[in-house]
Amino acid sequence: MLPLLSSLARLGAGAVLTLSLAAMAVAQENRVETQVVADSPRIEVLPLIGSVSAPRTSLLSSAEAGQVSELTVEMGDTVTQGQPLLSLDTRDISLESQRARADLAQAEAERDEAQRLVSEANQLSAQNFAASERRQRESALAAAQATLEARRADYSLAQLQLERHQIRAPFDGMVTHRESNIGEWVNPGDTLLTLVDLASLRLDFSVPLSAYQRFEGSQLEVRLEGSDQWHPARTLARIPLDASSRQFLLRAAPETPLEMLPGMAVEGRLQLSGESGPSVPRDALIRRPDGSVSVWLARQSDDTWQAFEQRVEISSSYQGEVAVNEGLSAGDRVIVVGNERLEEGQNVSLSDD
């Protein structure tokens, strides 16, 4: 009886061992999630650094010399187009304008008298009025008319000089600098005020020329210094720079209004489309200590899936997808979940099969 029990005990131990090995084999067959590689347009994200600029910035100056008699704005004031900002003393030019107006009135009177004499001569018969006298009166009228035109020009010039003694805002904006004070003498060309149009601010980026030919269909997003939110922007112009810089100026405007001031730093990311090729999710990549990068591929043999490591060369990434330059082809099945502890040729089961 005892030998029989021993034999059964040995048989039971063997059965348990067989069941344990089978369980280990099942445990070694990892469950993974895969994704079929497909060719898709390569998206390269080009980081940009730029600044906020104000294309409409005016350094206001006077076309006339004079003494500042009135200054109605301070730095930081917001003004509207046509609003008076600064005035020069107009006493001397006002007198010049009055004299020009008097000269104009006298010229008008002399022209009217010459016109009357010509009309009088025209009313008399040829027998009672000499032809030479008629021609003399007509010449006097022409001279009076010419003098009148000159006096009108003198008066218009005096009015223009009088108007130039007052500086008005050429557009809506903010006064950012004031270089003059009441009582100062200014000369033509001196910068008196700086006016900036804050409603037409632009974003300027320097972009490598290599991106110029790939610009069609690109998308631009921007964010201001200190902000973590990206905003879409539209391209306004691509302006060539110095050829030695190998860059061009990208001028853009945000699609929605942003609170910004000239000189603020701004970040940009330019999305450029390239040639089509395979790409994989970032989670599929295995980065080795030696700097190499590989992925695990799932390949089917009969009814069994097995894992095989494949080294790849990668380039740009966009929204979690990394472009693969070498090592993969469309149709490969790459393991994206469960690829942490795989061995070459290990059996796997596909959760997405």
Side-chain angles (χ1 to χ4, degrees):
M1 187 65 179
L2 290 175
L4 179 59
L5 291 174
S6 298
S7 299
L8 290 174
R10 287 195 298 271
L11 179 60
V16 171
L17 179 59
T18 301
L19 292 174
S20 298
L21 291 175
M24 289 177 62
V26 172
Q28 288 178 352
E29 187 175 291
N30 282 14
R31 193 165 183 83
V32 297
E33 182 178 332
T34 64
Q35 178 175 308
V36 177
V37 177
D39 287 339
S40 58
R42 300 285 178 82
I43 302 296
E44 178 184 356
V45 178
L46 187 64
L48 304 175
I49 299 296
S51 61
V52 180
S53 65
R56 295 187 69 186
T57 299
S58 289
L59 306 179
L60 303 181
S61 61
S62 173
E64 303 290 336
Q67 189 177 47
V68 179
S69 61
E70 187 177 10
L71 189 56
T72 60
V73 292
E74 298 287 344
M75 287 179 56
D77 286 353
T78 301
V79 299
T80 58
Q81 184 177 5
Q83 178 179 333
L85 308 178
L86 179 147
S87 297
L88 303 181
D89 186 0
T90 60
R91 288 175 294 180
D92 54 348
I93 191 61
S94 294
L95 294 175
E96 288 290 338
S97 178
Q98 292 177 17
R99 181 169 63 183
R101 182 69 185 90
D103 290 343
L104 176 59
Q106 180 180 355
E108 289 175 343
E110 292 176 352
R111 190 278 313 272
D112 291 344
E113 176 61 17
Q115 181 65 60
R116 187 191 66 79
L117 293 176
V118 170
S119 299
E120 180 182 68
N122 290 335
Q123 293 174 359
L124 298 175
S125 62
Q127 293 81 4
N128 298 331
F129 204 89
S132 58
E133 180 66 19
R134 186 189 303 276
R135 288 194 298 270
Q136 185 176 0
R137 292 188 179 188
E138 290 175 348
S139 297
L141 175 60
Q145 185 65 42
T147 300
L148 175 61
E149 295 300 326
R151 296 297 176 264
R152 284 175 176 168
D154 291 342
Y155 179 68
S156 297
L157 178 59
Q159 290 298 105
L160 178 60
Q161 291 174 333
L162 183 62
E163 182 180 343
R164 285 177 174 174
H165 277 62
Q166 185 176 71
I167 296 178
R168 298 178 179 271
F171 49 79
D172 297 349
M174 176 183 287
V175 177
T176 58
H177 289 87
R178 197 189 77 176
E179 307 292 342
S180 58
N181 288 294
I182 293 178
E184 289 185 349
W185 183 269
V186 299
N187 293 307
D190 292 345
T191 299
L192 308 178
L193 300 165
T194 301
L195 184 64
V196 177
D197 182 3
L198 298 182
S200 62
L201 297 180
R202 298 292 181 256
L203 308 175
D204 289 345
F205 300 96
S206 293
V207 183
L209 283 175
S210 58
Y212 194 88
Q213 297 297 333
R214 303 166 55 196
F215 203 83
E216 191 68 28
S218 64
Q219 296 182 1
L220 176 65
E221 291 182 315
V222 299
R223 69 178 178 185
L224 297 177
E225 184 179 23
S227 173
D228 57 359
Q229 184 176 1
W230 291 93
H231 305 272
R234 66 182 185 278
T235 299
L236 300 178
R238 289 179 289 165
I239 306 169
L241 297 177
D242 189 334
S244 61
S245 68
R246 299 187 180 277
Q247 293 181 325
F248 66 92
L249 175 66
L250 172 61
R251 174 158 289 175
E255 294 287 359
T256 56
L258 300 178
E259 293 185 2
M260 52 189 185
L261 292 173
M264 291 181 65
V266 60
E267 293 181 69
R269 55 187 185 188
L270 184 63
Q271 301 171 13
L272 300 171
S273 298
E275 298 180 353
S276 294
S279 61
V280 297
R282 188 178 288 111
D283 292 339
L285 300 178
I286 305 296
R287 299 182 185 272
R288 301 301 183 187
D290 62 359
S292 63
V293 180
S294 62
V295 297
W296 285 97
L297 299 179
R299 293 173 180 165
Q300 190 175 27
S301 176
D302 296 330
D303 294 333
T304 303
W305 287 95
Q306 294 178 312
F308 298 92
E309 188 173 9
Q310 175 66 46
R311 183 165 299 189
V312 295
E313 291 187 7
I314 61 175
S315 55
S316 60
S317 63
Y318 176 68
Q319 293 184 347
E321 293 288 321
V322 181
V324 178
N325 293 335
E326 292 185 11
L328 288 182
S329 301
D332 289 340
R333 186 179 289 269
V334 64
I335 299 175
V336 295
V337 177
N339 56 354
E340 296 85 1
R341 297 181 180 179
L342 294 176
E343 295 182 2
E344 189 75 9
Q346 181 179 349
N347 291 346
V348 293
S349 62
L350 276 55
S351 61
D352 53 324
D353 190 7

